[in-house]
Amino acid sequence: MSTIVSPSVLSADFANLERDVKMLNKSNAEWLHIDIMDGQFVPNISFGLPVMKAIHKHATKPLDVHLMIATPDDYIDEFKDAGAEILTVHYEACTHLHRSLQRIKSAGMKAGVALNPHTPVDLLKDIIHDIDLVLIMSVNPGFGGQKFIPQAVEKVRALKTLITNAKATTLIEVDGGVNLETGKLLVEAGADALVAGSFVFGSEDPIKTIEKLGEL
Ligand code: DX5
Ligand code: ZN
């Protein structure tokens, strides 16, 4: 079984986005991970809708969009229009998470929920059947290139048990500090998809690196 690889465009060369997106098109990457940061929910600003639209224009793979913004409910339709296929909101940013998920799905996207490192997976128990994907953060969101938080591996294991017991079809994706070593532990624990930014774009041969991650 192969692992879904979702390279994070946050680590691409923003002055050569078209080139980097076309490189990802040629790779084994299944999705393209798009990190949207607002300087409110996280202490950093990445890029917004116009840049995402430009990425979408060149991408041949589904856009896996990770919203690190304080009011995701206000922008669901905008992200659909900008090309999102998977739209992931943070548990910590959604007071009425069930409603947010329904709105994402009725807009025609897959609905994801991201959990910060301190947020327990058990909190998703009652709505697991409503979630297409859970994004376990293995760093504090906001920046690429951070050190992997090892407790993420146990969280993936616990989430896998929760999903299996509920007979749900929710996918598990992990984001932050992923490389071949941490990725292997995560896949063994039950991760279906791996996000990787600096490890892919900082490598000599990103296409080969994506291929290796997909073989984990
Ligand atoms: C962090 C972002 C990640 C980031 C991962 O807030 O959500 O997607 O790009 O970067 P690496 O793989 O370098 O940890
Ligand atoms: Zn991300």
Side-chain angles (χ1 to χ4, degrees):
M1 230 192 72
S2 63
T3 301
I4 295 169
V5 184
S6 189
S8 171
V9 175
L10 188 64
S11 290
D13 178 352
F14 288 174
N16 287 288
L17 265 182
E18 180 178 348
R19 181 199 67 192
D20 283 1
V21 169
K22 286 183 171 164
M23 179 277 289
L24 296 175
N25 288 345
K26 279 192 264 157
S27 77
N28 282 350
E30 203 130 337
W31 303 333
L32 262 58
H33 188 79
I34 308 293
D35 288 301
I36 307 288
M37 307 177 184
D38 67 351
Q40 293 273 329
F41 181 70
V42 288
N44 194 14
I45 299 173
S46 55
F47 52 81
L49 290 157
V51 173
M52 187 178 139
K53 281 182 188 159
I55 293 169
H56 183 234
K57 204 166 90 187
H58 298 294
T60 56
K61 321 237 178 189
L63 301 186
D64 161 36
V65 181
H66 176 193
L67 294 185
M68 287 162 273
I69 65 177
T71 58
D73 291 326
D74 295 345
Y75 298 96
I76 290 173
D77 292 334
E78 279 87 342
F79 279 100
K80 168 69 182 170
D81 293 345
E85 281 200 29
I86 304 168
L87 193 64
T88 297
V89 294
H90 264 265
Y91 177 90
E92 302 82 8
C94 295
T95 310
H96 304 286
L97 181 60
H98 182 266
R99 180 187 290 148
S100 306
L101 297 173
Q102 301 312 319
R103 288 190 52 206
I104 293 170
K105 289 197 219 177
S106 61
M109 296 172 283
K110 298 241 183 274
V113 178
L115 299 181
N116 275 340
H118 72 278
T119 305
V121 297
D122 291 353
L123 291 171
L124 301 179
K125 185 168 164 282
D126 293 344
I127 54 161
I128 196 69
H129 288 281
D130 300 294
I131 309 174
D132 294 310
L133 173 143
V134 177
L135 182 61
I136 299 280
M137 293 307 300
S138 40
V139 298
N140 284 296
F143 302 92
Q146 301 182 81
K147 199 171 170 299
F148 183 78
I149 298 174
Q151 290 93 313
V153 177
E154 280 317 307
K155 282 180 80 168
V156 170
R157 214 183 302 280
L159 178 61
K160 184 72 186 174
T161 305
L162 191 161
I163 292 168
T164 309
N165 288 346
K167 297 189 172 53
T169 54
T170 315
L171 293 177
I172 303 176
E173 184 176 34
V174 188
D175 186 6
V178 170
N179 55 34
L180 288 174
E181 199 181 315
T182 56
K184 186 169 192 294
L185 298 173
L186 293 164
V187 171
E188 280 169 2
D192 304 290
L194 299 173
V195 175
S198 50
F199 185 62
V200 166
F201 285 94
S203 71
E204 227 158 83
D205 185 347
I207 292 199
K208 187 94 206 140
T209 304
I210 292 167
E211 192 182 310
K212 285 193 193 151
L213 284 166
E215 285 164 0
L216 289 177

